[in-house]
Amino acid sequence: MTIEEKIAMLEEIMDLEEGSLSLEDNLGEIEEWDSLSKLSLIAEAKHSFQIVMRAEDIKAFQTVRDICEYLK
């Protein structure tokens, strides 16, 4: 999955408009980065990347780039 596809996936998870996220966006400043979005990311990571995310992983993310780099 490309970086662009990962960003599009995050926009969908957070119910944001297409093209509204960039790699440098700070997750703490995104109102839609809430507990439901975090749970959705955990489910998507398991489904699409076969990665089991832990709460510590989620807490460590500061930017959209952090998530994209984690999902390899």
Side-chain angles (χ1 to χ4, degrees):
M1 185 178 283
T2 67
I3 294 287
E4 292 79 15
E5 290 170 327
K6 291 175 187 176
I7 290 174
M9 176 193 72
L10 290 171
E11 289 169 343
E12 186 174 325
I13 285 172
M14 291 186 235
D15 198 27
L16 296 170
E17 288 186 35
E18 184 178 333
S20 62
L21 283 180
S22 73
L23 288 174
E24 304 311 317
D25 285 340
N26 185 323
L27 294 169
E29 297 174 0
I30 301 172
E31 184 177 331
E32 292 82 357
W33 180 240
D34 56 16
S35 57
L36 183 58
S37 293
K38 293 171 185 174
L39 287 173
S40 296
L41 176 60
I42 290 169
E44 189 64 35
K46 185 173 185 180
H47 174 75
S48 296
F49 298 91
Q50 291 71 48
I51 295 173
V52 176
M53 285 185 153
R54 300 169 301 153
E56 298 83 28
D57 300 325
I58 298 287
K59 289 178 184 176
F61 298 144
Q62 299 295 312
T63 64
V64 171
R65 180 185 303 276
D66 294 338
I67 298 173
C68 289
E69 289 177 355
Y70 183 89
L71 299 173
K72 296 197 177 207

